[in-house]
């Protein structure tokens, strides 16, 4: 009989525990539903309000905003073509020909020999850049794709200039995954510093929202590239016998020199005093003394991508010069 009482007591305890658990679950679900309903009330109804992803009247964006929004198209075109071709072996003319607006095809670009992981990541970057072109052109009219020189020789000149001597054999960004990511190190960071510089100069909320969104993704791309290179920081790049870290340091020093506006660029390894809070030499994400992103002006960016430290003289990745009113104003003053 005692055993029967014990068994019944245990069953009652178990039943009470199940009932308590059910009550807790119901309370949780109720709270979750209430939270969801509150959020629905707080979040603006985007279907009823205009989005920067839809075509806007140019009248809603000031002339100065148009200039600052159109200028980044130069680098977005460059990144889109480099990443598309590197990963897939074809570019905007196949993926989104309407976005080129009839601009000339890039020079010398080709498919890279990438491992499966790197190819997957670069493919993601590529389609993100296509999206960036669409996003900008949903707000401003834009301009045709400028002539881009993405040949191996163009990147080799950058590397030679960074090291102050000719690398032998010439650097080939399409030879393997590591080389391609070192070449990629050259590009997104310049663009993201431009977005940082442009944002406080914009007058409309539409413009600032767009640039903030573009900056977020460009910064993430740069962080992914730098994280990969940091993992291989002390690996030597074949056949040069130079570490990955030194490549990034030399490229950053070169961009600082070309930009002619002080220290705004850092490699993946820095002296201890230059790291975050002066306490670490690892430098996966670049920042100033307060770990805040550096900014660049369009003039600085042109000096870098033209490769000659002069915004009035085309060259480098833009043999005929960049497009848009800002870039053209310097070409006309040359």
């Amino acid at each position: 009989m005692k055993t029967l009482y014990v068994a019944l007591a245990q069953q009652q305890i178990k039943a009470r525990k199940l009932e308590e658990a059910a009550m807790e679950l119901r309370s949780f679900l109720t709270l979750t539903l209430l939270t969801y309903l509150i959020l629905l009330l707080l979040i603006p109804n985007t279907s009823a309000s205009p989005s920067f992803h839809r075509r806007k009247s140019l009248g809603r964006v000031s002339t100065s905003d148009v200039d600052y929004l159109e200028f980044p198209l130069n680098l977005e075109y460059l990144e889109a073509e480099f990443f598309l071709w590197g990963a897939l072996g074809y570019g905007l003319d196949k993926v989104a020909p309407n976005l080129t607006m009839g601009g000339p095809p890039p020079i010398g670009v080709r498919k890279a020999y990438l491992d499966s992981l790197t190819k997957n990541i670069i493919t993601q970057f590529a389609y993100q850049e296509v999206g960036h072109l669409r996003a900008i052109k949903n707000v401003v009219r834009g301009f045709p794709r400028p002539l881009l020189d993405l040949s191996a020789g163009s990147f080799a000149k950058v590397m030679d200039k960074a090291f102050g001597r000719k690398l032998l054999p010439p650097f080939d960004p399409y030879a393997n995954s590591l080389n391609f990511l070192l070449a990629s190190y050259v590009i997104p960071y310049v663009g993201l510093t431009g977005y940082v510089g442009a944002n406080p100069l914009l007058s409309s909320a539409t413009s600032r929202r767009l640039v903030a969104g573009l900056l977020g993704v460009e910064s993430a791309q740069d962080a992914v590239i730098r994280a990969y290179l940091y993992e291989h920081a002390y690996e030597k790049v074949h056949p040069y016998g130079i570490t990955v870290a030194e490549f990034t340091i030399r490229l950053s020093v070169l961009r600082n020199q070309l930009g002619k506006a002080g220290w705004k660029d850092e490699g993946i390894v820095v002296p201890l005093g230059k790291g975050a809070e002066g306490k670490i030499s690892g430098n996966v994400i670049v920042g100033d003394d307060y770990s805040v992103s550096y900014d660049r002006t369009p003039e600085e960016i042109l000096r870098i991508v033209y490769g000659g430290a002069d915004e009035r003289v085309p060259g480098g990745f833009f043999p005929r010069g960049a497009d848009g009113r800002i870039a053209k104003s310097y070409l006309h003053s040359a």
Side-chain angles (χ1 to χ4, degrees):
M1 183 66 71
K2 185 177 179 181
T3 304
L4 179 59
Y5 285 142
V6 171
L8 287 172
Q10 289 176 339
Q11 287 180 357
Q12 288 175 348
I13 292 170
K14 186 176 181 181
R16 280 198 298 271
K17 286 183 177 180
L18 288 172
E19 185 177 353
E20 290 171 358
M23 289 178 64
E24 290 177 359
L25 179 59
R26 283 195 296 271
S27 298
F28 172 78
L29 292 174
T30 301
L31 180 59
T32 302
L33 179 59
L34 286 172
T35 304
Y36 176 72
L37 291 173
I38 291 169
L39 287 173
L40 284 179
L41 292 173
L42 292 175
I43 296 172
N45 184 351
T46 55
S47 63
S49 60
S51 164
F52 74 84
H53 294 297
R54 300 189 184 93
R55 171 65 65 181
K56 288 291 196 307
S57 165
L58 294 183
R60 296 195 61 174
V61 178
S62 69
T63 301
S64 61
D65 278 13
V66 170
D67 292 340
Y68 284 116
L69 293 178
E70 284 192 333
F71 180 78
L73 284 170
N74 290 292
L75 291 179
E76 298 291 357
Y77 275 126
L78 190 157
E79 293 174 48
E81 293 291 7
F82 184 58
F83 291 146
L84 282 169
W85 275 95
L88 304 175
Y90 49 80
L92 287 170
D93 288 315
K94 180 173 180 178
V95 172
N98 60 308
L99 292 177
T100 71
M101 298 172 67
I107 300 169
V109 66
R110 65 177 193 267
K111 188 174 184 180
Y113 291 94
L114 305 177
D115 61 72
S116 58
L117 176 61
T118 305
K119 180 180 179 180
N120 185 287
I121 292 171
I122 298 302
T123 302
Q124 293 177 50
F125 288 0
Y127 285 120
Q128 288 164 2
E129 297 305 330
V130 175
H132 290 180
L133 290 169
R134 294 190 198 280
I136 295 173
K137 291 186 178 189
N138 280 342
V139 178
V140 296
R141 185 170 290 110
F143 47 76
R145 174 183 56 196
L147 181 65
L148 301 167
D149 185 353
L150 298 175
S151 64
S154 183
F155 283 94
K157 288 177 184 176
V158 173
M159 298 300 179
D160 291 349
K161 186 169 289 189
F163 282 92
R165 61 183 174 86
K166 284 188 175 295
L167 296 182
L168 294 174
F171 182 86
D172 182 357
Y174 304 107
N176 54 60
S177 295
L178 181 56
N179 280 22
F180 191 85
L181 287 164
L182 282 169
S184 299
Y185 179 89
V186 174
I187 304 169
Y189 180 70
V190 176
L192 78 86
T193 56
Y195 284 133
V196 175
N199 205 41
L201 304 176
L202 299 171
S203 59
S204 79
T206 297
S207 302
R208 291 193 297 270
R209 169 65 182 88
L210 172 59
V211 166
L214 294 167
L215 174 59
V217 174
E218 292 288 336
S219 299
Q221 290 179 355
D222 186 61
V224 169
I225 292 167
R226 292 177 69 96
Y228 175 94
L229 295 175
Y230 186 73
E231 183 181 2
H232 300 270
Y234 297 105
E235 178 181 322
K236 291 187 176 179
V237 181
H238 181 76
Y240 309 109
I242 301 168
T243 65
V244 169
E246 186 173 350
F247 263 89
T248 67
I249 292 166
R250 297 274 190 158
L251 288 168
S252 288
V253 169
L254 174 64
R255 289 190 296 213
N256 283 328
Q257 292 171 343
L258 294 175
K260 299 198 295 189
W263 184 280
K264 296 188 176 183
D265 218 307
E266 299 169 346
I268 56 175
V269 177
V270 292
L272 190 61
K274 279 286 185 181
E277 291 294 296
K279 297 183 183 300
I280 194 165
S281 61
N283 200 42
V284 174
I285 298 175
V286 182
D288 63 14
D289 290 343
Y290 301 100
S291 293
V292 174
S293 293
Y294 292 103
D295 65 319
R296 280 195 171 104
T297 65
E299 295 79 9
E300 293 169 50
I301 291 171
L302 291 172
R303 293 169 197 157
I304 293 168
V305 297
Y306 287 173
D310 191 337
E311 63 271 29
R312 298 166 299 174
V313 181
F317 297 118
F318 293 86
R320 294 181 190 165
D323 208 335
R325 197 191 69 82
I326 293 175
K328 283 184 173 181
S329 70
Y330 292 106
L331 294 179
H332 293 158
S333 66

